[in-house]
Amino acid sequence: MSRMSPEKKTVTWLVGVVITMGALAWAAVPFYDWFCRVTGFGGTTQVAVAAPDQVLDEVVRVRFDANVDKNMEWTFRPMQTSMEIKLGENGLAFYEAINNSDVPITGTASYNVAPEVSGYYFSKIECFCFTEQTLQPGERIEMPVSFYVDPDLLKDRDASWIRDITLSYTFHRTEPKQAALDAEPADNVN
């Protein structure tokens, strides 16, 4: 049985380190995304199927904010600046988007809430931000977001003081998913 030379051991060890580092780097983005969704870290909101059955008399004010990336030729704004809802109550707000260009533009909205700790208790049921939006030249649309603030907010000593939450969106220009799929080269099998 032959023993591995010290040089081969070092090379094998270094290759193992490089592979491990690459795997960890590759896994960092999906892990961070999962972590933010689970914990509400960074103001990441939750996704729910329906509002809870329990509605409390405690009221929070939700403010609405809208931004567009600098290379996005859209006007994007909330159709209401704020609304007051009870904890657990289903809220419905609308945003307006207008394509000011002479070409179709597809965009995707990123979002967060402030204060950041409220992200764990802010849940969206339906949202335009779940899918990409394509607007034709000059097209105007109204986009709904259905949400609630979880009554468990009051049980969290770090968040129970919150009575004002800002929901903020930023639209970013993206390539339409179908166009991206069409642009992929087909596998040629000869």
Side-chain angles (χ1 to χ4, degrees):
M1 185 170 181
S2 67
R3 291 183 47 172
M4 195 182 297
S5 69
E7 294 84 12
K8 284 186 180 182
K9 281 184 181 180
T10 301
V11 169
T12 302
W13 185 81
L14 289 174
V15 168
V17 167
V18 169
I19 289 172
T20 301
M21 297 286 282
L24 290 173
W26 176 82
V29 172
F31 178 74
Y32 182 76
D33 180 57
W34 169 83
F35 175 78
C36 290
R37 282 184 283 118
V38 168
T39 65
F41 182 76
T44 303
T45 62
Q46 308 301 304
V47 177
V49 175
D53 294 331
Q54 178 187 26
V55 176
L56 304 180
D57 285 332
E58 193 73 34
V59 174
V60 294
R61 178 178 30 205
V62 179
R63 298 171 196 260
F64 303 97
D65 178 54
N67 305 283
V68 288
D69 193 288
K70 64 183 175 195
N71 67 349
M72 185 86 168
E73 297 176 63
W74 283 10
T75 299
F76 176 55
R77 68 176 187 86
M79 298 185 73
Q80 61 287 303
T81 56
S82 67
M83 74 171 46
E84 292 187 353
I85 63 169
K86 295 178 179 179
L87 291 177
E89 179 181 18
N90 189 17
L92 182 63
F94 289 88
Y95 281 76
E96 173 187 57
I98 303 169
N99 180 351
N100 300 313
S101 76
D102 58 355
V103 296
I105 295 179
T106 299
T108 303
S110 60
Y111 53 87
N112 68 349
V113 293
E116 290 182 3
V117 69
S118 64
Y120 187 75
Y121 300 100
F122 194 99
S123 294
K124 294 180 189 173
I125 299 167
E126 293 288 333
C127 184
F128 59 88
C129 61
F130 294 161
T131 59
E132 64 184 18
Q133 305 295 321
T134 301
L135 274 66
Q136 299 303 313
E139 184 178 5
R140 175 194 171 276
I141 61 170
E142 294 180 9
M143 302 174 292
V145 56
S146 174
F147 64 92
Y148 67 90
V149 180
D150 194 315
D152 285 346
L153 173 93
L154 294 179
K155 297 176 186 172
D156 184 336
R157 67 183 175 104
D158 294 328
S160 61
W161 57 271
I162 296 172
R163 293 300 174 270
D164 285 291
I165 298 173
T166 301
L167 174 60
S168 183
Y169 290 97
T170 301
F171 253 104
H172 305 274
R173 191 172 189 150
T174 57
E175 288 299 317
K177 287 189 176 158
Q178 188 57 46
L181 291 174
D182 293 343
E184 287 182 9
D187 290 335
N188 291 330
V189 179
N190 292 333

